[in-house]
Amino acid sequence: MKTACFNFVAIITLFTSFAVQSMAQTKVIAHRGAWKNTGAPQNSIASLQQAIKLGCYGSEFDVHMTADSALVVNHDHTLQGVNLETAPAADINALKLSNGESLPTLESYLKAGLKQKKTRLILEIKASKVSKEHSLALATRCVQAVKAQKGRKRVDYISFDYDVCKKVKELDPSANVAYLMGDKAPDLLAQDGLYGLDYNQAIMKKNENWIQEAHQKKLTVNVWTVNDPDMMNWLLERKADFITTDEPEKLLELTK
């Protein structure tokens, strides 16, 4: 009887240990969706759907605000010669991606992504080239749009503009907000109530101690844009919380 009890306890202990390790496992974020190996255009709803299909923890995308305050999803500030920040929405709505898909609005992107609960939406608020005021207005409009779609529990925010990060926290104190630029130590991010740091792989390699410091401050660590398996393994060994990659298929295989 004692042996049976011991074996039962051992099994429970092993299961608990495995569960903890699974919870701590580095999670995969598809950079601009899963596009590189699928043929879907970057930042398209099709690339989002591919990331969801793969089972990625998150799918990252970029948002701009047009001259008349419409919100559109694209990485660069221009598309097909049209400046997304200075053109009206009517001009931008006519643009088509390589698969025939219209350039997504933030509303259409959120609606597509929030139909499921498996993959989080990682919303980058693009720092404006027009003005700081434009960036902050964009931040406000993004938070409003997410609230309107009832997506607060499924959307995380990132930005290269620290003032934008703080603005989002002001508008929605419960929001997960991470900073991208890489020029601030974890201590400041923790003081300002951010969710985590989201820094380039070169910065993290140079400041390896920031991973442990961030975790000590209860911050998450995301690293971008990591496509090399050696760098992926380096970050996995150091227990980065997230890795953003153009190669989610490769990273998912490594994290199995």
Side-chain angles (χ1 to χ4, degrees):
M1 188 68 175
K2 288 183 179 180
T3 302
C5 289
F6 176 79
N7 288 340
F8 179 74
V9 171
I11 290 169
I12 292 297
T13 302
L14 181 63
F15 178 79
T16 302
S17 175
F18 176 77
V20 170
Q21 289 177 15
S22 296
M23 289 173 64
Q25 185 181 46
T26 301
K27 297 176 177 64
V28 179
I29 296 176
H31 184 231
R32 308 178 198 170
W35 57 271
K36 187 171 183 180
N37 299 309
T38 67
Q42 298 179 26
N43 269 316
S44 63
I45 291 175
S47 68
L48 166 63
Q49 291 169 337
Q50 289 292 336
I52 293 169
K53 184 178 178 181
L54 285 171
C56 296
Y57 170 83
S59 187
E60 182 266 353
F61 62 105
D62 309 272
V63 182
H64 300 264
M65 185 170 70
T66 68
D68 47 0
S69 300
L71 305 180
V72 294
V73 176
N74 192 64
H75 179 264
D76 295 344
H77 285 78
T78 61
L79 179 66
Q80 299 169 23
V82 177
N83 188 309
L84 302 180
E85 292 191 287
T86 59
D91 292 352
I92 294 166
N93 289 341
L95 301 176
K96 298 291 184 182
L97 302 180
S98 60
N99 64 345
E101 182 182 320
S102 296
L103 186 71
T105 63
L106 177 56
E107 181 182 5
S108 65
Y109 195 97
L110 290 174
K111 283 182 175 178
L114 293 171
K115 288 178 180 178
Q116 52 82 50
K117 296 183 179 180
K118 181 169 61 175
T119 298
R120 295 188 68 80
L121 307 180
I122 315 299
L123 192 167
E124 180 179 342
I125 300 172
K126 295 294 285 190
S128 173
K129 291 188 176 181
V130 172
S131 66
K132 174 70 74 173
E133 291 73 23
H134 194 99
S135 292
L136 296 175
L138 169 58
T140 300
R141 295 274 286 116
C142 284
V143 173
Q144 291 171 343
V146 170
K147 287 181 178 179
Q149 295 298 324
K150 297 180 172 56
R152 293 172 67 196
K153 293 183 179 180
R154 302 297 306 156
V155 177
D156 299 336
Y157 299 91
I158 56 177
S159 184
F160 280 94
D161 188 321
Y162 201 67
D163 292 327
V164 163
C165 292
K166 293 196 291 185
K167 182 67 174 178
V168 173
K169 290 297 294 182
E170 175 190 321
L171 295 166
D172 185 357
S174 68
N176 291 339
V177 184
Y179 181 53
L180 288 167
M181 184 62 76
D183 60 342
K184 301 186 188 303
D187 187 57
L188 179 61
L189 275 60
Q191 288 179 33
D192 287 329
L194 268 61
Y195 172 66
L197 56 84
D198 190 347
Y199 291 169
N200 180 267
Q201 56 185 314
I203 291 171
M204 295 311 298
K205 200 72 181 286
K206 183 179 179 181
N207 300 280
E208 180 182 344
N209 59 306
W210 278 2
I211 298 176
Q212 185 176 3
E213 287 180 24
H215 287 155
Q216 289 172 346
K217 297 289 182 180
K218 309 301 182 186
L219 296 170
T220 58
V221 175
N222 189 9
V223 186
W224 57 270
T225 299
V226 184
N227 299 327
D228 176 63
D230 290 339
M231 187 62 185
M232 289 176 180
N233 281 317
W234 188 86
L235 291 166
L236 291 173
E237 289 168 4
R238 285 154 184 79
K239 296 181 172 56
D241 298 284
F242 316 107
I243 297 174
T244 298
T245 178
D246 295 324
E247 303 268 10
E249 301 90 347
K250 186 185 298 182
L251 183 53
L252 284 166
E253 188 64 29
L254 287 177
T255 59
K256 280 184 179 178

